[in-house]
Every structure is written in structure tokens, then in C-alpha cells.
Amino acid sequence: MRIITIGREFGSGGRELGKRLADELGIPCYDKEVIAEVAKLRGVDPEHIDEITEAEIHSVYPFTVSRTLLTPIYFHDAAVDNLTAREEVVKKLASQGDCVIVGRFADIILRDKKPLNLFVYAEKESKLKRCLSRASEGETEKSVKKKMKKIDRARARNYKLFSGKKWGDKKNYHLCINTTGMEIKSLVSALAAYAKAWFEKE
Amino acid sequence: MRIITIGREFGSGGRELGKRLADELGIPCYDKEVIAEVAKLRGVDPEHIDEITEAEIHSVYPFTVSRTLLTPIYFHDAAVDNLTAREEVVKKLASQGDCVIVGRFADIILRDKKPLNLFVYAEKESKLKRCLSRASEGETEKSVKKKMKKIDRARARNYKLFSGKKWGDKKNYHLCINTTGMEIKSLVSALAAYAKAWFEKE
């Protein structure tokens, strides 16, 4: 089984890289699909599923006691249920065959399957440029910067809580790719060759 | 001009990767050659050149005052001269054309030439295995472990002193490659493809 997980800084092009790499390898890529499945399982709006899970995941873990006490019990339960559902969905998707999974702690959830774990990052200016090029109407440079910071901070915090490991620390990944100034599509054939070599290693 | 620099943890296979990548790209790889040239310039024994430069580089910089005071003035001067010679040699080699340079702060020395900077690392056990497989007679697991630790500690410290940056921090490199469990030669064609894409980016 070839499973590739992609951790990524917001705006680094990790999602695009995942899609393109999956296409190149002829396997599916799961990204928003995970959210949609979790939402279906939980019977809630996909718009809010990640918001609840990612923002409040820290309330799930016993070592964040102070936060738990401050967090409404409803939110706590919702986060636990979302996380459980997310694990279930990620495992189910991965059991169907070779795939690329973007985010969602897939590297941790699927560790027994020995996935190839990639991390995609870039310099701040490069990420900002990428984000601004596809910003929604009404978003300003200031609001985009704020969003970038908020999302990556939540990812780092939640990864730590979920795994005890440091998000983005190169030792947790097999390959870390800096996309600063690069077109994602220019990287794909080299990365596909790398992935093939990696899966043939045993 | 295509210049590739390789930072590497001791025992990660970075040197082998540099040689093989250079062969694949049909360009020279400079590694020990830098030491030999520096030794020639300075008229000293190549065996000791890195020892003096790397162990005592921190005595060269004003912000390590306490150390400077404790360090014999001869050693201080030798380290300064070695560093100057090293910069000169690295710049000269790089001016001759496309190349791969392993270590020697080439990423910092040649920053104006916009090199592609790779960092090669691996899990401790993997590095130990690699080191033990080519240990000299008389070296034990214990002595090899000690050497690994000492060399990487010196590299980290000196890189910081030389550049103000953190050695091995992924943001200082374009690609970080974890060689744990990999045969170096299996990585080379993918990395050559990546390098080609990277140099075509502008």
C-alpha cells in the first residue's frame, strides 16, 4: 500500500501539490473529501466541521485542563466526536488503496501503515502572494495575513496535542519541500520519482 | 550558473549524495577538495585544517568573547586565516562553473549566486549504522556515537556563528531529505530532476 501524507503551511501550495502528485501517480487525493465525509457521519454542516475540530481540539486532551474547564461542555463533546469521526474517515479512505491525504493528521493516524510523509513550506512573502492571488472578495492583505497566522498556529498547536510532536519539524517527515518562488507543477515529476524510489526501498 | 550546496548531518549520507548527484548532472563535486586547497593555500597539513577551523571558529567572532580570551592567540589567528582561505577556495571553485559543494558553509559563502541548498539528515540509528559500516579499525560503537555527536554539535555551533542562522533549520534550505532506511543511489535520479526544475524556475 502506498500512502502519501502531506503536511503543509497555509499558502505553501501543499494542497495543489497533493492533487497534482496524486494525478501523476494515478491515485486519489483526499483533502476536502475528508471534511465532507466527517460532516456526513456527524450530520453537521461541512462549513463548520473543521472550525469546531481544529479550534477546539485542545479541549479534548486532559493536559489542557484549564482550557477544558473554560470550554462549554457541548463544544468539548463536539470536538471529541469530530476527532473520532475524522480518524475513522481517514482510516477508511486509506484502507481503500493507494492515496494522497492532505492534512488532517493523516501522518499520525496512519502511522502503522508506514506512509511517506511530506511537508510543504515556503517563505512568508511567497505564501502571502499565493493566498492573495486567490483571495475572496473583501479579503485584504491584512485579513489574509491574519488568517495565515491563525490557521498555522492552530495546526501547530493541534498537531502537538494530537501527537506530542512538533508540527513542521523535519524529523517527523521524509521530505520537506520549500516551494518559495516555485510553480507547484514544475515539482511534480521529480516528487513522483522520489515517491516511487521511497516505496521501493524495502 | 547552477550551484548546489549540501548541508548534512554526520552519517546521513550527504557526501555520497553530493557525489552521486554531481555525477548524474555531469558536474564536479567538491568536498575534501576544499580542504586540500585550503591546506595548500595555507601551507599546512590537510589532516589538521578542518580541526583548527571547525573546532576554533567560534574564537574568531567577537560575540564569543569569553572563549576568545581563553583561546591562545595563535589558534585564533590560525582559525581566522583558515576561514579566510576557505571562503577564497569555495568562491574560486564555484566561479569555475556548475558544481555541487558539500559542507563548508557554501550555502552562506555563495548566497549571492543563489545556489540550490539541500540538507540531508536521518534518524540517529540510521546514521549510526552507516557510520559503523565504514568505521576504521579500533573504532567502537561508543567512539563512533561520540564522534557523531561532536561533529554535528560543532557544525551547528559554527554555522550559527558564521551566519547567525540555525543549522539544519528547514527554512534555510530548499529541500530537506531524510535518508533513514534509504539507499542513497535510489534517490539520485529524483533529486537530479528536482534540481533541474529548480534551476529552471526563473
Side-chain angles (χ1 to χ4, degrees):
Chain A
M1 181 92 81
R2 298 179 304 166
I3 295 169
I4 301 173
T5 75
I6 300 190
R8 74 293 184 219
E9 291 178 356
F10 189 72
S12 66
R15 180 190 298 180
E16 182 186 342
L17 195 148
K19 286 275 176 222
R20 288 186 181 272
L21 183 58
D23 282 352
E24 181 83 11
L25 295 169
I27 62 180
C29 176
Y30 305 121
D31 179 8
K32 295 281 183 201
E33 294 78 0
V34 177
I35 303 174
E37 281 284 315
V38 171
K40 211 163 70 182
L41 256 177
R42 300 263 300 119
V44 297
D45 182 353
E47 282 287 308
H48 298 299
I49 200 95
D50 258 17
E51 202 178 299
I52 297 173
T53 315
E54 303 230 323
E56 297 305 320
I57 191 173
H58 51 293
S59 73
V60 176
Y61 290 88
F63 44 95
T64 57
V65 174
S66 63
R67 180 75 194 194
T68 308
L69 293 175
L70 295 170
T71 308
I73 214 68
Y74 159 76
F75 234 51
H76 178 280
D77 287 353
V80 175
D81 289 346
N82 284 357
L83 266 181
T84 310
R86 185 201 275 202
E87 278 206 49
E88 203 177 303
V89 168
V90 166
K91 283 182 178 162
K92 191 184 117 199
L93 290 170
S95 73
Q96 290 168 3
D98 297 351
C99 62
V100 174
I101 304 184
V102 180
R104 276 88 212 175
F105 309 145
D107 53 330
I108 307 297
I109 293 172
L110 301 173
R111 61 188 174 281
D112 293 343
K113 293 190 183 284
K114 306 204 168 163
L116 166 59
N117 301 319
L118 310 182
F119 191 83
V120 184
Y121 64 108
E123 286 172 15
K124 202 172 160 186
E125 281 308 307
S126 174
K127 292 185 288 186
L128 180 63
K129 200 172 147 192
R130 191 182 301 271
C131 287
L132 285 174
S133 74
R134 29 168 218 201
S136 319
E137 216 175 317
E139 287 192 300
T140 62
E141 186 171 320
K142 198 178 160 191
S143 72
V144 167
K145 273 184 179 169
K146 204 173 151 186
K147 187 173 161 191
M148 285 169 61
K149 202 170 168 181
K150 189 181 157 194
I151 290 180
D152 277 354
R153 203 155 47 188
R155 284 176 184 167
R157 185 189 58 212
N158 294 337
Y159 190 86
K160 180 77 183 171
L161 289 167
F162 195 71
S163 68
K165 294 176 176 183
K166 194 177 162 197
W167 182 72
D169 183 341
K170 70 182 187 304
K171 73 179 173 214
N172 301 325
Y173 308 93
H174 300 103
L175 193 73
C176 300
I177 306 134
N178 186 339
T179 57
T180 304
M182 299 291 289
E183 277 204 73
I184 299 299
K185 67 178 173 193
S186 74
L187 290 167
V188 171
S189 69
L191 291 179
Y194 165 83
K196 280 176 192 160
W198 195 88
F199 283 110
E200 274 162 18
K201 78 182 188 305
E202 272 146 10
Chain B
M1 182 92 83
R2 298 178 304 165
I3 295 169
I4 300 174
T5 76
I6 300 190
R8 74 294 183 219
E9 290 178 355
F10 189 73
S12 66
R15 180 190 299 181
E16 182 187 341
L17 195 148
K19 286 277 175 222
R20 288 187 182 272
L21 182 57
D23 282 352
E24 181 84 9
L25 294 169
I27 61 180
C29 176
Y30 305 120
D31 179 9
K32 294 281 183 202
E33 294 78 358
V34 178
I35 303 174
E37 282 282 315
V38 172
K40 212 163 72 186
L41 256 178
R42 299 263 301 119
V44 297
D45 182 352
E47 282 287 309
H48 298 298
I49 200 95
D50 259 17
E51 202 179 301
I52 297 173
T53 315
E54 303 231 323
E56 298 305 319
I57 191 173
H58 51 292
S59 74
V60 176
Y61 290 88
F63 44 93
T64 57
V65 175
S66 63
R67 181 75 195 194
T68 308
L69 294 174
L70 294 170
T71 307
I73 212 69
Y74 159 76
F75 233 52
H76 178 279
D77 287 354
V80 175
D81 289 348
N82 284 357
L83 266 182
T84 311
R86 185 200 275 201
E87 279 207 48
E88 204 177 301
V89 168
V90 166
K91 282 181 178 163
K92 191 183 118 201
L93 291 170
S95 73
Q96 291 168 4
D98 297 352
C99 62
V100 173
I101 304 184
V102 180
R104 275 90 212 174
F105 309 144
D107 53 331
I108 306 296
I109 294 171
L110 302 172
R111 60 188 174 281
D112 293 343
K113 292 189 183 284
K114 305 204 170 166
L116 165 60
N117 301 319
L118 310 182
F119 191 83
V120 184
Y121 64 107
E123 285 172 15
K124 202 172 161 186
E125 281 308 308
S126 174
K127 293 185 287 186
L128 181 62
K129 201 173 148 192
R130 192 183 301 271
C131 287
L132 285 173
S133 73
R134 32 170 215 200
S136 318
E137 216 174 317
E139 287 192 301
T140 62
E141 187 170 320
K142 198 178 161 190
S143 71
V144 167
K145 274 184 178 168
K146 204 173 152 186
K147 189 173 161 190
M148 285 169 61
K149 201 170 169 181
K150 189 182 156 192
I151 291 180
D152 277 354
R153 203 156 46 187
R155 283 177 184 166
R157 185 188 59 213
N158 294 337
Y159 190 87
K160 179 78 184 172
L161 289 166
F162 195 71
S163 67
K165 294 176 175 184
K166 193 177 164 198
W167 181 72
D169 183 342
K170 70 183 187 305
K171 73 179 172 213
N172 300 325
Y173 308 92
H174 301 103
L175 194 73
C176 299
I177 306 135
N178 186 341
T179 58
T180 305
M182 298 292 287
E183 276 204 75
I184 299 298
K185 67 179 173 194
S186 74
L187 289 169
V188 172
S189 68
L191 291 179
Y194 165 83
K196 281 177 191 160
W198 194 87
F199 283 110
E200 275 163 17
K201 79 181 186 304
E202 273 147 8

